[in-house]
């Protein structure tokens, strides 16, 4: 390989590495509570952080693929809150709770509120930061499938990670494509 070609290749690799590492994520974007408790405490918390209450007047169902214990409980209409933890990122949270106020599952959904500042790299970084934080608290994941590592430019992908090694369980998945047409991360934490 010629010296000039090697210099260009090295420069390209360094530029790519610097651009990937320079993606900044606001700590509020990945701030999650890996605990369950009373809906009243969560409602109070959401008010403190100035989330907007978007609770519907009907039940929002969850599939058993997402929450395998859905049939074990009779839920009230889930409380829904929306916030924008950083420019261009919208975070929707749904709290599924029983009549006695016990939250059994929390659903998180990070999506684009505007296209201008977001990229697959940003959502990948959010996904990775969440994975690290969840693994610190719940231990090593029990299942991991990252389709994004093996897709062509025009294909869509779904990355999945599950933590099922403790009483509190988590399931996180990310949708996207390499053309940057769609970015979304979903996560649920739950108990039996």
């Amino acid at each position: 390989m010629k010296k000039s070609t090697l210099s260009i290749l090295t420069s390209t690799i360094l530029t790519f590495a610097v651009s990937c590492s320079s993606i900044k994520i606001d700590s509020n974007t990945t701030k999650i509570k890996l605990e369950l408790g009373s809906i009243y405490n969560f409602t109070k918390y959401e008010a403190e952080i100035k989330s907007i209450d978007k609770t519907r007047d009907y039940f929002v169902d969850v599939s058993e693929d997402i929450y395998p214990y859905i049939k074990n409980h009779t839920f009230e209409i889930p409380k829904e809150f929306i916030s924008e933890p950083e420019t261009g990122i919208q975070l929707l949270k749904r709290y599924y709770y029983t009549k006695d106020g016990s939250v059994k599952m929390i659903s998180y959904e990070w999506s684009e509120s505007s296209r201008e500042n977001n990229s697959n790299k940003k959502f990948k970084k959010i996904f990775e930061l969440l994975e690290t934080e969840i693994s610190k608290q719940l231990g090593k994941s029990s299942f991991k499938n990252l389709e994004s590592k093996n897709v062509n430019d025009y294909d869509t992908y779904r990355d999945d990670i599950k933590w099922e090694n403790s009483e509190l369980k988590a399931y996180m998945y990310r949708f996207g494509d390499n053309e940057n047409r769609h970015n979304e991360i979903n996560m649920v934490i739950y108990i039996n």
Side-chain angles (χ1 to χ4, degrees), residues 35-186:
E35 61 187 44
L36 299 175
S38 165
I39 189 60
Y40 310 106
N41 292 338
F42 284 113
T43 301
K44 182 180 173 186
Y45 168 75
E46 294 295 342
E48 289 170 3
I49 64 169
K50 305 210 182 326
S51 296
I52 299 167
D53 188 337
K54 291 286 194 175
T55 302
R56 306 168 202 217
D57 59 357
Y58 57 90
F59 189 77
V60 179
D61 205 2
V62 178
S63 79
E64 285 186 78
D65 292 338
I66 304 300
Y67 181 42
Y69 308 105
I70 189 80
K71 291 183 179 178
N72 294 1
H73 307 287
T74 302
F75 289 110
E76 300 296 305
I77 293 173
K79 296 292 280 177
E80 294 185 68
F81 296 92
I82 197 164
S83 62
E84 190 165 317
E86 68 179 85
T87 303
I89 303 290
Q90 178 177 286
L91 175 55
L92 171 66
K93 294 180 226 170
R94 288 188 186 103
Y95 295 92
Y96 288 81
Y97 64 99
T98 55
K99 192 171 191 159
D100 69 356
S102 299
V103 175
K104 303 294 184 184
M105 185 191 85
I106 303 173
S107 166
Y108 295 84
E109 180 184 305
W110 291 263
S111 60
E112 298 167 306
S113 60
S114 69
R115 305 265 316 155
E116 59 197 51
N117 296 321
N118 296 319
S119 69
N120 289 350
K121 290 177 187 160
K122 186 167 192 166
F123 273 77
K124 180 180 181 188
K125 181 76 171 176
I126 293 169
F127 192 79
E128 290 169 347
L129 290 169
L130 289 166
E131 177 186 8
T132 300
E133 185 58 33
I134 296 166
S135 293
K136 277 184 200 172
Q137 295 185 47
L138 298 182
K140 186 178 178 186
S141 61
S142 54
F143 173 81
K144 188 172 182 177
N145 180 38
L146 302 178
E147 288 181 0
S148 60
K149 292 185 174 193
N150 303 315
V151 297
N152 296 321
D153 288 343
Y154 301 106
D155 293 339
T156 58
Y157 56 80
R158 177 174 169 156
D159 293 339
D160 297 273
I161 306 175
K162 292 182 179 183
W163 292 264
E164 299 176 316
N165 304 325
S166 65
E167 181 182 4
L168 184 66
K169 299 172 184 354
Y171 176 32
M172 183 170 63
Y173 51 101
R174 174 172 78 116
F175 297 109
D177 62 46
N178 290 334
E179 292 294 308
N180 206 36
R181 293 175 303 234
H182 181 72
N183 290 298
E184 182 181 312
I185 299 169
N186 292 272

Side-chain angles (χ1 to χ4, degrees), residues 4 27-28 34 39 156 176-177 189:
S4 63
S27 62
N28 288 322
L34 283 178
I39 189 60
T156 58
D177 62 46
I189 62 167

